[in-house]
Amino acid sequence: MTKFSLFFALLIVLSGCQKETITPDDGTLPGRFRVEADPLRCSLPTTQWLTIQLTGDGTYHFNYDRFGSGTYQLTGILAVKSSTTKYDLTLDDQLIGQYVFEDLRTLNGTQKRWMLMVNHRADQADGLEFMGVKE
């Protein structure tokens, strides 16, 4: 790996690890999420934020950008509760992510938090790779 690639990867990880006050999340999905890097399980994110809205038909609508390259959307996402601490997120009957209550490892230590993890066509121009917590 070149020095530039290593520097860029380190910069991305550290930009996701910002010290902020923790507000308790009630476990509901609608809201605004910010990237929070857990270096043990998160690959490089494609966005810094993600907004989720509940639509009238019981599905969810995701809005996100790709680091300022434009606003993108995913619609028709279902959240199926598989346990008291886990929701599976599906789009067109395909698993694209999870919303789970578990340990989050950061530079500030380990905390129990609700975390949103989404991976949908990350290799495409409008794809999404995200791990974060509610603001």
Side-chain angles (χ1 to χ4, degrees), residues 44-101:
L44 292 178
T46 57
T47 185
Q48 296 179 39
W49 61 268
L50 182 117
T51 303
I52 301 176
Q53 298 170 336
L54 179 64
T55 60
D57 58 358
T59 60
Y60 294 91
H61 177 88
F62 288 15
N63 284 321
Y64 59 97
D65 74 353
R66 289 192 46 105
F67 291 108
S69 67
T71 302
Y72 298 92
Q73 302 174 9
L74 286 175
T75 58
I77 297 166
L78 293 173
V80 178
K81 191 171 192 173
S82 58
S83 74
T84 57
T85 59
K86 180 180 172 187
Y87 292 86
D88 291 325
L89 306 175
T90 61
L91 179 63
D92 299 328
D93 296 323
Q94 301 257 334
L95 183 68
I96 64 164
Q98 296 178 332
Y99 189 46
V100 294
F101 187 74

Side-chain angles (χ1 to χ4, degrees), residues 12-133:
I12 294 291
V13 169
L14 291 178
S15 69
C17 298
Q18 301 171 5
K19 186 174 182 175
E20 295 185 21
T21 57
I22 296 174
T23 56
D25 184 2
D26 59 4
T28 59
L29 199 52
R32 184 173 167 103
F33 291 78
R34 64 174 166 77
V35 71
E36 183 75 48
D38 183 339
L40 297 180
R41 63 179 152 181
C42 183
S43 59
L44 292 178
T46 57
T47 185
Q48 296 179 39
W49 61 268
L50 182 117
T51 303
I52 301 176
Q53 298 170 336
L54 179 64
T55 60
D57 58 358
T59 60
Y60 294 91
H61 177 88
F62 288 15
N63 284 321
Y64 59 97
D65 74 353
R66 289 192 46 105
F67 291 108
S69 67
T71 302
Y72 298 92
Q73 302 174 9
L74 286 175
T75 58
I77 297 166
L78 293 173
V80 178
K81 191 171 192 173
S82 58
S83 74
T84 57
T85 59
K86 180 180 172 187
Y87 292 86
D88 291 325
L89 306 175
T90 61
L91 179 63
D92 299 328
D93 296 323
Q94 301 257 334
L95 183 68
I96 64 164
Q98 296 178 332
Y99 189 46
V100 294
F101 187 74
E102 57 184 47
D103 289 334
L104 174 66
R105 293 165 202 82
T106 66
L107 295 176
N108 298 330
T110 301
Q111 306 160 347
K112 279 277 210 206
R113 298 285 304 266
W114 279 96
M115 294 183 303
L116 176 68
M117 296 174 280
V118 181
N119 185 332
H120 177 68
R121 298 177 3 175
D123 58 337
Q124 303 289 321
D126 63 344
L128 176 61
E129 177 88 23
F130 181 81
M131 178 178 174
V133 295

